[in-house]
């Protein structure tokens, strides 16, 4: 069930996005001088910002930022510093381009161009599409097991993992929702929600991998599998949110859970002889190739499309194929159990 390895590529990489360190762009003296000047004058070249106009007591002359911005960008919380950084970045990149230099990162991010206040519009769009495909996959699975496949005499589905996949869909859609929000506006809150959702999905998908691969059917046995994983993931999320957002530790945790999933599902796919295992191999190979986009990082084309955005794009067809396998698995298990009852 290599579908889990897809979840690794999908989620573990999301855990790495925030590994920010000092970048060449924000160390550039010209950029730093521009930001300092902008915070004093409220202007970059001929572009000025209302919320950079302060009175002698340090308060904005025209009131707080949320009374100065149009409704559609108020929630983004662009303040004087963030606007100064953004426009100084664009100004500096134009100068560098004229001098023949390549783009550099600023504060851990490539120089993206905003659209309607959205920080990384293409990544947001692809995250939203991934969310839509996850929803479509879950709905099609739900319709299959509840309306097309037969039920047991106790009115429960023959497929033993129906409830687990329904819960998984919630975790997956939640992760992609916060991915879209985070790429829309990278602030402390959206960053923590994105990371927490990604780690939660990884932890749950690992639990699901163990239960499905080892055919754990008894509720007591499932609790024994789930309890330590839930405790570990919950502790890690609390640590990230309320003690220290340790990017290095988070990366190690994501990699460990992801690799463990790959091993479990790879071995299971090889020995189970599942009739739809070819879909698993496609997802695994596609996920591996998609990882190259994260390794081979390059600046955004046109200030919009970078390697990470393209990685988001590749996960869309893989997610569709992955849910197709889940449906096949439900049909296969139902067919096997029906034959046993006859």
């Amino acid at each position: 069930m290599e579908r889990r390895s897809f979840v690794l590529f999908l989620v573990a990489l999301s855990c790495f996005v925030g590994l920010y360190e000092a970048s060449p762009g924000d160390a550039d003296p010209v950029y730093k001088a521009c930001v300092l000047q902008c915070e004093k004058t409220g202007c970059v070249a001929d572009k000025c910002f209302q919320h950079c106009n302060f009175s002698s007591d340090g308060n904005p002359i025209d009131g707080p930022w949320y009374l100065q911005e149009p409704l559609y960008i108020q929630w983004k919380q662009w303040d004087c510093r963030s606007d100064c950084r953004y426009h100084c970045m664009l100004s500096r990149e134009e100068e560098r381009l004229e001098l023949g230099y390549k783009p550099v990162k600023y504060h851990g991010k490539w120089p993206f161009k905003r659209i309607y206040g959205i920080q990384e519009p293409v990544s947001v769009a692809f995250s939203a599409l991934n969310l839509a495909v996850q929803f479509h996959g879950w709905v099609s699975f739900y319709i299959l097991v509840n309306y097309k496949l037969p039920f047991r005499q106790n009115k429960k589905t023959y497929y033993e993992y129906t409830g687990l996949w329904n819960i998984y869909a919630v975790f997956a859609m939640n992760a992609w929702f916060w991915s879209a929000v985070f790429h829309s506006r990278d602030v402390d809150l959206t960053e923590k929600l994105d990371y927490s959702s990604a780690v939660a999905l990884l932890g749950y998908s690992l639990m699901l991998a163990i239960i499905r691969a080892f055919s754990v059917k008894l509720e007591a046995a499932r609790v024994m599998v789930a309890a330590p994983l839930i405790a570990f993931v919950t502790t890690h999320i609390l640590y990230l949110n309320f003690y220290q957002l340790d990017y290095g530790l988070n990366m190690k945790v994501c990699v460990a859970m992801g690799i463990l999933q790959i091993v479990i599902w790879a071995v299971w796919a090889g020995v189970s002889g599942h009739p739809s295992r070819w879909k698993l191999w496609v997802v695994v190979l596609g996920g591996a190739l998609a990882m190259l986009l994260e390794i081979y990082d390059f600046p955004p084309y046109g200030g919009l499309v970078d390697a990470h955005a393209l990685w988001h794009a590749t996960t869309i067809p893989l997610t569709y194929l992955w849910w197709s396998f889940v449906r096949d698995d439900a049909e296969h298990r139902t067919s096997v159990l029906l034959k046993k009852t006859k």
Side-chain angles (χ1 to χ4, degrees):
M1 204 172 279
E2 248 66 0
R3 57 192 178 207
R4 294 296 94 207
S5 61
F6 168 57
V7 174
L8 164 68
F9 301 130
L10 192 86
V11 183
L13 290 174
S14 298
C15 298
F16 309 155
V17 172
L19 196 56
Y20 301 148
E21 298 175 354
S23 303
D26 45 83
D28 185 341
V30 177
Y31 167 79
K32 293 168 69 175
C34 175
V35 173
L36 289 174
Q37 183 68 17
C38 174
E39 290 178 347
K40 292 178 181 179
T41 64
C43 299
V44 175
D46 58 348
K47 188 175 183 62
C48 298
F49 319 108
Q50 286 183 317
H51 41 238
C52 282
N53 296 325
F54 297 96
S55 60
S56 58
D57 60 2
N59 294 318
I61 293 176
D62 298 315
W65 62 268
Y66 52 80
L67 296 179
Q68 304 167 21
E69 304 290 356
L71 287 174
Y72 65 87
I73 62 171
Q74 282 185 11
W75 72 278
K76 301 293 183 183
Q77 299 187 27
W78 295 113
D79 54 17
C80 178
R81 170 169 288 187
S82 60
D83 266 341
C84 284
R85 285 180 172 181
Y86 172 71
H87 289 282
C88 283
M89 174 188 72
L90 293 185
S91 175
R92 182 58 179 146
E93 280 303 303
E94 289 179 1
E95 295 173 355
R96 289 174 54 83
L97 181 62
E98 292 176 356
L99 295 172
Y101 295 122
K102 294 181 179 180
V104 294
K105 290 186 177 182
Y106 295 79
H107 307 284
K109 286 183 172 290
W110 289 114
F112 289 95
K113 293 181 180 178
R114 298 180 196 165
I115 296 181
Y116 295 109
I118 297 176
Q119 203 163 353
E120 299 176 38
V122 175
S123 288
V124 171
F126 287 144
S127 292
L129 285 173
N130 272 285
L131 172 60
V133 174
Q134 286 283 358
F135 179 74
H136 173 270
W138 169 67
V139 169
S140 61
F141 168 76
Y142 183 87
I143 292 173
L144 174 69
V145 296
N146 288 284
Y147 295 99
K148 295 183 179 180
L149 296 179
F151 284 85
R152 300 174 187 264
Q153 290 183 349
N154 60 3
K155 302 301 182 182
K156 292 184 178 180
T157 62
Y158 276 96
Y159 188 53
E160 312 97 318
Y161 311 100
T162 299
L164 293 174
W165 283 117
N166 287 332
I167 296 172
Y168 168 80
V170 174
F171 276 99
M173 289 186 286
N174 177 69
W176 279 116
F177 172 79
W178 288 115
S179 172
V181 174
F182 172 67
H183 287 297
S184 177
R185 180 67 170 103
D186 176 7
V187 296
D188 185 62
L189 177 61
T190 59
E191 182 180 45
K192 288 180 177 179
L193 286 169
D194 179 47
Y195 289 4
S196 299
S197 300
V199 172
L201 176 56
L202 257 180
Y204 182 82
S205 62
L206 175 58
M207 180 191 75
L208 185 53
I210 296 172
I211 291 174
R212 179 64 187 93
F214 292 95
S215 299
V216 181
K217 299 181 178 66
L218 295 177
E219 289 299 322
R222 289 184 176 185
V223 171
M224 293 178 65
V225 172
L229 283 172
I230 292 174
F232 172 76
V233 171
T234 302
T235 301
H236 180 64
I237 291 174
L238 291 173
Y239 178 87
L240 293 177
N241 282 273
F242 300 106
Y243 184 71
Q244 180 183 2
L245 189 56
D246 189 327
Y247 300 114
L249 173 63
N250 192 47
M251 179 177 66
K252 293 175 183 177
V253 169
C254 290
V255 167
M257 291 194 294
I259 290 178
L260 186 55
Q261 287 179 59
I262 282 184
V263 172
I264 292 172
W265 289 116
V267 173
W268 184 88
V271 301
S272 66
H274 197 285
S276 296
R277 60 185 177 274
W278 69 269
K279 294 182 180 180
L280 304 180
W281 300 123
V282 172
V283 170
V284 158
L285 180 60
L289 293 175
M291 273 196 71
L292 296 177
L293 291 171
E294 289 295 284
I295 297 172
Y296 180 65
D297 192 19
F298 56 82
Y301 179 77
L304 297 172
V305 183
D306 69 334
H308 186 70
L310 292 179
W311 173 74
H312 279 312
T314 62
T315 59
I316 296 171
L318 294 178
T319 299
Y320 182 86
L321 185 61
W322 176 64
W323 273 106
S324 174
F325 179 86
V326 176
R327 294 192 298 272
D328 290 349
D329 188 46
E331 291 179 334
H332 174 64
R333 285 297 303 161
T334 300
S335 175
V336 170
L337 292 173
L338 281 173
K339 290 179 181 178
K340 289 182 178 180
T341 59
K342 293 180 179 179

